[in-house]
Amino acid sequence: MLKAVIVDDEPKAIQSLIWELSNFNQEIEVMASFSKPDDALKFLNTNTPDCLFLDVQMPTIGGFQFLEQLKNINFAVVITTAYDEYAIKALKHEAIDYLLKPIDSDDLSACISKIKRHSERTVNSQKLERMLSNFNSQFDKKKITINTDGKLLFLDVDDIIYIESDGNYSTLFLQNRKKIVLTKKLKEVDAILPEHYFFRIHNSYIINLNKIKAFIKNEGYVIMDSEHKIPVARQRKSDFLEKL
């Protein structure tokens, strides 16, 4: 059974969608609904549904601003709107679908099918991540296994110079000047790296301790073997010096 959350500033729109979803009560149920986006943000930062039905036109926080304020989006997002001009923007925000108000039953049925597929992929991905984590912890400590673009990469830690955060993505900078972009936040990447080789030196950077060329104390940055300059966060400086 899929669990859904609805966020819409119009109570009537919420009730209408709940009524439409009741026609599919063997497949999906509404676990919570909110007309105030702030309340919904608090709920979603501690609860994980399978899908979120989100109105994009709300007076206090717009739908896309709402998505940007979420800590993690590990559920399907469906945009609900009376204006189809938002469709392209919805796709750019990785929504799996959008529904035009008033919501058509056939469109909703097709949308629920997409949510199911998304949920199955998420479950399979989580299983794979656990498997990779076990592999990384049990076998060669100088190699890490990464799932990206539908394939497994086995990387030697000596080939990684540093990792940079870009919101929900992370970029690995390698010894051969190649880059690998992962759909993972930096803290997720940090969790699979051997801690005696790597250190999160800044909110946006993890460095390979064996690839440091110089530490410029007065200016607060390190120079890597690749000549990249990486800032050292003040609050991490003492821990960093201990690592060295």
Side-chain angles (χ1 to χ4, degrees):
M1 175 76 74
L2 297 171
K3 304 288 185 182
V5 170
I6 302 172
V7 181
D8 195 311
D9 66 302
E10 297 181 15
K12 288 184 178 179
I14 292 176
Q15 291 304 315
S16 176
L17 181 52
I18 290 175
W19 184 84
E20 289 286 352
L21 288 170
S22 69
N23 294 316
F24 305 91
N25 59 12
Q26 299 300 312
E27 302 172 84
I28 189 168
E29 67 177 0
V30 178
M31 64 186 295
S33 61
F34 301 91
S35 57
K36 294 181 180 179
D38 286 337
D39 292 340
L41 283 171
K42 292 176 184 177
F43 180 85
L44 289 170
N45 282 328
T46 55
N47 295 274
T48 304
D50 295 298
C51 61
L52 167 67
F53 291 92
L54 176 65
D55 182 27
V56 290
Q57 286 191 310
M58 297 183 289
T60 53
I61 303 175
F64 300 120
Q65 291 175 310
F66 180 92
L67 292 175
E68 289 167 359
Q69 291 186 39
L70 285 172
K71 292 178 183 177
N72 289 300
I73 304 178
N74 48 1
F75 45 79
V77 177
V78 178
I79 298 299
T80 61
T81 177
Y83 304 95
D84 60 4
E85 66 191 77
Y86 290 106
I88 299 300
K89 195 170 184 181
L91 294 175
K92 288 182 179 178
H93 278 75
E94 299 183 11
I96 68 160
D97 206 352
Y98 74 101
L99 296 171
L100 287 176
K101 299 177 182 177
I103 294 170
D104 179 81
S105 293
D106 290 340
D107 289 342
L108 185 56
S109 178
C111 178
I112 290 172
S113 295
K114 289 183 181 180
I115 295 169
K116 284 181 179 178
R117 291 194 294 272
H118 179 276
S119 181
E120 288 168 0
R121 284 197 302 269
T122 300
V123 169
N124 289 334
S125 175
Q126 290 170 346
K127 287 180 180 177
L128 180 58
E129 292 299 331
R130 286 195 296 269
M131 182 192 76
L132 295 181
S133 178
N134 290 334
F135 180 92
N136 289 332
S137 63
Q138 293 176 24
F139 295 95
D140 189 349
K141 300 296 184 181
K142 294 200 70 179
K143 283 188 180 292
I144 60 168
T145 312
I146 292 173
N147 178 26
T148 180
D149 293 332
K151 60 185 176 183
L152 298 181
L153 295 181
F154 299 89
L155 296 179
D156 193 314
V157 296
D158 288 335
D159 289 337
I160 304 171
I161 298 175
Y162 70 96
I163 304 101
E164 182 177 4
S165 170
D166 182 16
N168 289 325
Y169 298 85
S170 296
T171 302
L172 277 65
F173 291 81
L174 306 181
Q175 192 74 34
N176 55 10
R177 296 188 177 276
K178 290 185 178 180
K179 300 177 185 179
I180 299 175
V181 179
L182 305 178
T183 54
K184 289 180 179 292
K185 292 187 176 182
L186 197 62
K187 66 179 181 180
E188 296 175 275
V189 178
D190 195 19
I192 64 174
L193 294 171
E195 61 181 21
H196 52 285
Y197 286 99
F198 294 89
F199 182 74
R200 188 165 181 176
I201 202 168
H202 186 278
N203 280 344
S204 298
Y205 296 96
I206 298 171
I207 62 169
N208 187 331
L209 295 167
N210 294 325
K211 302 297 179 180
I212 300 172
K213 188 174 183 179
F215 174 35
I216 313 302
K217 291 184 179 180
N218 294 337
E219 298 182 37
Y221 65 84
V222 293
I223 300 175
M224 307 304 292
D225 283 352
S226 58
E227 302 300 333
H228 288 97
K229 296 179 179 179
I230 309 295
V232 181
R234 289 182 181 179
Q235 66 271 28
R236 300 176 190 263
K237 186 175 179 180
S238 60
D239 291 339
F240 170 60
L241 291 175
E242 284 184 17
K243 277 281 188 179
L244 292 180

